[in-house]
Structures are given as C-alpha cells and as structure tokens.
C-alpha cells in the first residue's frame, strides 16, 4: 500500500469541512437555529449555530477512509467513531432541544468509557485507562465551556491536533491530521467574524477528539500522558479553575456564564480576535514545549508539564484579579 500524504489529507478534508460548514449554515438559517445575544453570552447579534457538525462528519469520513486503508485498525476505529457519534449526537439534540445536564453527562461518560476500553485493550494498564476516562469526560465538558467567543474552540483545537500529530508516528498521526482538517475548514466561518457558531455538537465533539488524540499518543509513544496535555493546558486551566471556583462558592457550575478569563477579557474591552489570538499563542508555545520534551525521560517530561501547568495557573490567577470587576 502506498504511503498516505498527510498534507493532501489535510487539504482535501479541510475543503470537505468548509463545504459542510456552508451547508450547516444554510440548514441553521432555514430552521431558525440561532443563538441570541444575552447577559450570559459574548456576542451581540443572533447567529446560526450547529456548524460543528461539519467537523464531526469530516472526522467520521476520515475515520472510514482509515478503516479502508488500514483494515487491521478497523475495529478500534469503529469504537472511536461510535464514541464520537454519541457525544456529537447528544450535542446535536441539545442544539435543537435543550436537554438536562445530567443526561448529557451520562452520554459523555459512556463515550469516554469506550476510549478507556481501547486504551485498556492496547496496554493492559487499568490505571492508564481510568485516567483517559477522566480526562475525556472532563475535556468534553471543558471544551463546551470554552466555546464562547469567535474562533477560540476550533482554533485552539487546530493547534492542539497539529502539535499531537507532530509527536506521533505514522499512520497514527493521520488521525490528528484529520481532526486538524475538520477545524481548519470550519474556522473561516467562525473567525474573525462569526457567520456560524459551533454549537454543542461541535464543542463537545472537539473535547472528545482532543482526549482521544492524547490517549492515542500515550499508547503509541513513550511520552508521559501529562506532557501530551501541555498543548491543551490553557483550556484546562481556565475552565478547570473557573468551574472549581464556582463550585466552591456554591454557584450552579453547569449553567452558562461569563466568568472564564477569556470571557472577562472580552467584557473588559478586548476584541474576540485579540483574546482568541492570545489563547492560540499559548497553544503554540505549549506545542513547542511538548516537542522539546520528546527526547527527555518520562519523569522529566512529567515534571516540566506540571511546571507549565503551574505557570498557566499563576497567569490565570493574575488575570482573574485584574479582571475581577468584569
């Protein structure tokens, strides 16, 4: 079998994602599937939602092609795709008719369990599987909370997917390239001006996909799992610490709000483009840190990853204080 050119995969699937996003926008407008401005939102005009379905369908198309090209991996790819369909499906439903948070969470946990089962099958390591289950469940929900301004969720995921593709061997890196292609095709419709929002169908799916890529990296490389989360750390820190603070103060943390640092920065007067650019820059720095960690022993990789997370946590705390009035 001929080698697959990852650049060609990126181009073809990005074009597919762009076409699907255009169709999703037409569908949302016809169905009046709109996000309206409000106190807990960061946009000022009614905007179609649900464009993330384009990313999901693109990844599923790439997964089907991968199963055809690599038949031995077809069962694992089918399980991965099943989890993606579950997360995206409950998100699509919620975009059309809001569902209770507990029902969505149960579906997220079931999909995360499928990923954990793949890791357990591949490594026989129950602890590694449990960690992937927890990370996947968390990222599905964290990505949803971080999808609040133009381009931030898809742009940060694009950087994260490409950074993980760089450190994984072929053909496993192709899965990350497929995810990056889905984000790349969607991004021009959402940034710098949002003609369509991703919706829960896309944000939850991206969290699942980022967890799947990190889990895959922990299986097919010798990189410590904490290091694999470095390119995703800005989202993990902002969402994790913000939600933790809401829990500690007795607020309903699952409800929509505008208390994340990125949301407060927009309320303070920064543009969506600037704030998204800062997070993408943090993702690029995280990608460089991950690439630099590859030659190090796993224990040193973990130490640097923890230090990077601590640095971001300090930055979050400083910005939280500076933006406390917003």
């Amino acid at each position: 079998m001929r080698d697959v050119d990852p650049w060609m995969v990126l181009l073809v699937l990005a074009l597919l994602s762009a076409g699907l996003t255009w169709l999703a926008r037409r569908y949302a407008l016809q169905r009046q599937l709109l996000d309206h401005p409000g106190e807990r939102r960061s946009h000022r005009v009614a905007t179609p939602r649900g464009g993330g379905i384009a990313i999901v369908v693109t990844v599923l198309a790439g997964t089907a092609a991968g199963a055809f090209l690599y038949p031995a991996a077809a069962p694992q790819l089918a399980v991965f795709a099943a989890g993606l369909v579950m997360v995206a499906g409950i998100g699509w439903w919620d975009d059309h008719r809001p569902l209770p948070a507990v029902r969505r969470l149960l579906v997220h946990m079931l999909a995360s369990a499928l990923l954990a089962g793949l890791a357990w099958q591949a490594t026989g390591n129950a602890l590694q599987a449990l960690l992937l289950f927890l990370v996947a469940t968390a990222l599905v929900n964290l990505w949803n909370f971080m999808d609040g301004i133009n381009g931030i969720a898809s742009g940060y995921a694009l950087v994260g997917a490409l950074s993980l593709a760089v450190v994984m061997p072929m053909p496993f890196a192709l899965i990350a390239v497929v995810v990056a292609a889905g984000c790349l095709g969607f991004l021009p419709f959402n940034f710098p001006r949002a003609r369509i929002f991703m919706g829960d169908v896309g944000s939850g799916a991206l969290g699942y996909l980022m967890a799947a890529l990190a889990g895959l990296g922990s299986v097919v490389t010798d990189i410590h799992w904490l290091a694999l989360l470095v390119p995703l750390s800005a989202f993990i820190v902002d969402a994790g610490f913000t939600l933790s603070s809401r829990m500690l103060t007795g607020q309903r943390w699952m409800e929509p709000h505008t208390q994340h640092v990125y949301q407060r920065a927009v309320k303070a007067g920064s543009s969506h483009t600037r704030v998204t650019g800062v997070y993408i820059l943090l993702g690029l720095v995280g990608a460089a840190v991950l690439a630099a960690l590859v030659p190090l022993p796993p224990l040193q990789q973990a130490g640097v990853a923890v230090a990077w997370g601590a640095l971001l946590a300090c930055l979050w705390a400083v910005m939280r204080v500076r933006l406390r009035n917003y």
Side-chain angles (χ1 to χ4, degrees):
M1 183 180 61
R2 295 177 58 186
D3 292 336
V4 178
D5 182 355
W7 293 108
M8 184 58 68
V9 171
L10 184 68
L11 175 61
V12 171
L13 291 183
L15 290 174
L16 172 63
S17 177
L20 291 170
T21 304
W22 181 80
L23 290 174
R25 186 173 185 274
R26 289 194 61 184
Y27 168 83
L29 289 172
Q30 291 172 357
R31 294 288 299 272
Q32 288 296 295
L33 197 63
L34 305 173
D35 270 348
H36 294 277
E39 181 182 351
R40 296 179 177 178
R41 300 186 184 275
S42 300
H43 62 283
R44 298 179 179 178
V45 297
T47 306
R49 67 173 181 267
I53 189 65
I55 299 174
V56 174
V57 174
T58 298
V59 173
L60 290 174
T63 302
F68 175 77
L69 293 171
Y70 304 98
Q76 290 80 12
L77 289 172
V79 173
F80 157 77
L84 176 59
V85 169
M86 291 172 62
V87 173
I90 199 70
W92 181 254
W93 189 349
D94 192 56
D95 283 332
H96 288 75
R97 184 180 302 172
L99 296 169
V102 173
R103 189 178 303 176
R104 299 197 309 270
L105 180 60
L106 289 175
V107 174
H108 299 163
M109 293 175 69
L110 183 55
S112 300
L114 292 180
L115 285 182
L118 289 176
W120 194 357
Q121 180 192 44
T123 65
N125 188 327
L127 178 59
Q128 186 173 350
L130 177 60
L131 287 172
L132 180 54
F133 169 78
L134 296 174
V135 168
T137 303
L139 285 183
V140 168
N141 290 279
L142 295 188
W143 228 270
N144 182 277
F145 280 109
M146 293 298 292
D147 179 30
I149 62 174
N150 300 350
I152 193 169
S154 54
Y156 196 72
L158 172 61
V159 172
L162 289 177
S163 66
L164 291 169
V166 168
V167 301
M168 285 195 286
M170 291 289 285
F172 303 104
L174 287 174
I175 300 177
V177 172
V178 168
V179 175
C183 295
L184 185 60
F186 169 81
L187 193 56
F189 292 85
N190 187 244
F191 182 82
R193 182 174 70 89
R195 288 179 285 166
I196 188 169
F197 291 152
M198 185 178 298
D200 287 347
V201 62
S203 58
L206 279 184
Y208 172 88
L209 291 169
M210 291 300 105
L213 293 180
L216 178 63
S218 71
V219 171
V220 303
T221 72
D222 294 326
I223 303 173
H224 196 280
W225 66 272
L226 281 175
L228 293 166
L229 296 178
V230 164
L232 314 179
S233 296
F235 266 30
I236 294 172
V237 167
D238 192 356
F241 278 85
T242 299
L243 296 178
S244 295
S245 68
R246 285 175 60 82
M247 293 178 191
L248 292 174
T249 55
Q251 300 178 63
R252 295 183 177 180
W253 63 277
M254 288 291 289
E255 290 186 350
H257 59 85
T258 56
Q259 295 182 16
H260 293 288
V261 163
Y262 80 91
Q263 292 169 316
R264 289 179 180 230
V266 170
K267 289 170 67 177
S270 295
S271 67
H272 286 214
T273 302
R274 182 178 180 181
V275 176
T276 293
V278 169
Y279 277 79
I280 289 178
L281 178 60
L282 289 173
L284 289 171
V285 175
V289 171
L290 172 60
L293 289 178
V294 172
L296 300 180
L299 189 59
Q300 292 182 25
Q301 293 175 352
V304 174
V306 170
W308 173 251
L311 177 63
L312 289 180
C314 291
L315 179 61
W316 177 88
V318 169
M319 294 304 298
R320 181 85 168 184
V321 171
R322 291 185 62 183
L323 299 170
R324 62 181 178 274
N325 294 325
Y326 296 96

